[in-house]
Amino acid sequence: MGTHAKRIAFPLLFLLSLATGSTWAGKITCIPGANSGTASPLNSIRRISIDEHSRTVNMDVVRSRTKDTETMGKLRADLVNMEDNQSGEPVYVFNSIPTVGVETTSLFKLFKTTEWRLISAGVTFVNKVPALRAVEQSVVFDCKRSDLG
């Protein structure tokens, strides 16, 4: 390889390594799985959309339910942490953004074992000290990736 070719090849290889280094950068969208059960409060979540670039999470949730209808709403969360697990899939940790006057927040963890699972914990702040209120059983979600890279 000549000197000119090396000067072109190295920067090109460097750019390609940067592009492939963040394999999971993009978006992931999840909906409840077919076998997610009905007992958990997490079943009120109808869709989770995580944007890894902006570190935001948007959830479509059931705000209220009657015999005949469901009233839907949106819940926004911050992506607090994202790191790979042993299977190479990322583990997402995010928290709901509490509204004014609400002293309770929900922490969520979305991870993949053999299937994607979501677990949550309710945390209440008393005199600015967090106290664990409740931990929900995990629920199965079907997740799909898009906009890679």
Side-chain angles (χ1 to χ4, degrees):
M1 186 181 282
T3 307
H4 181 65
K6 286 181 184 177
R7 285 185 189 152
I8 293 173
F10 180 73
L12 185 58
L13 288 173
F14 179 71
L15 287 174
L16 287 174
S17 70
L18 288 177
T20 58
S22 59
T23 320
W24 301 120
K27 294 182 181 180
I28 184 167
T29 303
C30 304
I31 57 172
N35 58 347
S36 60
T38 57
S40 174
L42 292 175
N43 288 322
S44 64
I45 300 173
R46 296 290 189 248
R47 186 174 168 268
I48 302 169
S49 178
I50 300 173
D51 186 333
E52 296 171 354
H53 295 293
S54 66
R55 302 189 64 82
T56 58
V57 180
N58 292 303
M59 294 184 275
D60 295 338
V61 297
V62 177
R63 291 281 183 203
S64 64
R65 190 177 285 150
T66 65
K67 187 174 101 174
D68 299 324
T69 63
E70 292 181 338
T71 303
M72 299 300 292
K74 300 267 186 206
L75 182 63
R76 188 164 173 262
D78 287 326
L79 184 58
V80 177
N81 193 12
M82 179 181 73
E83 55 186 52
D84 291 342
N85 65 12
Q86 291 94 0
S87 70
E89 292 285 352
V91 175
Y92 300 99
V93 178
F94 49 97
N95 64 337
S96 61
I97 299 170
T99 56
V100 176
V102 175
E103 295 179 6
T104 301
T105 188
S106 294
L107 302 173
F108 298 93
K109 181 178 179 181
L110 180 67
F111 58 98
K112 186 172 185 180
T113 52
T114 55
E115 55 200 357
W116 284 97
R117 296 196 149 282
L118 179 71
I119 191 166
S120 78
V123 177
T124 303
F125 291 89
V126 180
N127 296 327
K128 298 183 182 183
V129 176
L132 184 63
R133 195 182 86 195
V135 176
E136 301 297 333
Q137 222 174 2
S138 67
V139 175
V140 174
F141 273 78
D142 292 326
C143 299
K144 304 273 189 261
R145 295 192 180 286
S146 62
D147 299 332
L148 294 178

